[in-house]
């Protein structure tokens, strides 16, 4: 149980275009989902916390107008990288805990490798 | 001081060895402790989840938590080449929806 599906797994786009990444909890409901960015051989960097039915909470230094997050249902959150530039190339990973339980461990998607040319 | 400290390694061991991975933390409010395994270009996979102090065993994996020392460990017995991955520790207080991750330890098990 507790499967998180992330799509696409890999995307290549041209500079200036927008890319949408989907994160779905397949067999559980997730009030909160988290979006991370990971650089090569580095740990996870929390970008934002996505709350179902309300605005996302962004970490300091993360541009909310560039990284648009929508959490329209208890099983789906999306991250849209707007006007992507080469420096946005990275590995993006989403995660979710079960329901609204703060003592639930996080379950991760398999990540999206974004390359902006 | 970082909330969670983890030696990044890399750690290289022969097949069959016992591996010990560790994290220390500074926040005494942490009560929930997790270990994740991350293969290259994949998302982290939950290996172990423990609450408070004590040991938890699952197959070849044992997680230990020592809250008095603010120290957690993951032991891998009879290590296999398929265990080669980066191992991340994570923890939370459980009272708010915040998780703190170590930087990860890169492990290679040599056949």
């Amino acid at each position: 149980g507790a499967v998180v599906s992330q799509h696409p797994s890999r995307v290549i786009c041209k500079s200036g275009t927008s890319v949408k990444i989907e994160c779905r909890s397949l067999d559980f409901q997730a009030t909160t989902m988290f979006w991370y960015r990971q650089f090569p051989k580095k740990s996870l960097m929390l970008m934002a916390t996505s709350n179902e039915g309300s605005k996302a909470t962004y970490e300091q230094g993360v541009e909310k107008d560039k990284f648009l997050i929508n959490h329209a249902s208890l099983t789906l959150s999306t991250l849209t990288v707007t006007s992507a530039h080469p420096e946005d190339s990275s590995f993006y990973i989403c995660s979710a805990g079960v329901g609204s339980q703060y003592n639930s461990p996080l379950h991760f998607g398999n990540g999206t490798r974004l390359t902006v040319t | 001081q970082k909330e969670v400290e983890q030696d990044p390694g890399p750690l290289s061991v022969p097949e069959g060895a016992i591996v010990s991975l560790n994290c220390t933390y500074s926040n005494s409010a942490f009560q929930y402790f997790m270990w994740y395994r991350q293969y290259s270009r994949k998302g982290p996979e939950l290996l172990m989840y423990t609450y408070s102090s004590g040991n938890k065993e699952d197959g070849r994996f044992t997680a230990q938590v020592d809250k008095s020392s603010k120290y957690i460990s993951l032991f891998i017995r009879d290590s296999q080449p398929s265990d080669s991955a980066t191992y991340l520790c994570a923890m939370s207080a459980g009272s708010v929806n915040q998780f703190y991750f170590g930087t990860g330890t890169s492990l290679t098990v040599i056949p």
Side-chain angles (χ1 to χ4, degrees), chain A residues 32 38 43 102-103 106 108-110, chain B residues 32 36 38 43-44 49 94-95 102:
Chain A
T32 303
Q38 189 174 37
S43 189
Y102 292 168
N103 58 359
L106 291 182
F108 286 84
N110 255 334
Chain B
Y32 299 92
Y36 291 87
Q38 185 176 21
Y49 176 56
S95 55

Side-chain angles (χ1 to χ4, degrees), chain A residues 71-106:
Chain A
H71 193 157
S73 78
L74 286 172
T75 59
L76 174 64
S77 176
T78 60
L79 168 68
T80 301
V81 183
T82 62
S83 187
H85 287 96
E87 58 265 30
D88 298 324
S89 297
S90 192
F91 192 52
Y92 294 87
I93 315 175
C94 70
S95 71
V98 176
S100 59
Q101 301 173 49
Y102 292 168
N103 58 359
S104 167
L106 291 182

Side-chain angles (χ1 to χ4, degrees), chain A residues 43-58:
Chain A
S43 189
L44 302 165
M45 185 188 81
L46 180 64
M47 297 176 63
T49 303
S50 165
N51 301 296
E52 187 268 336
S54 63
K55 290 184 179 180
T57 303
Y58 290 82

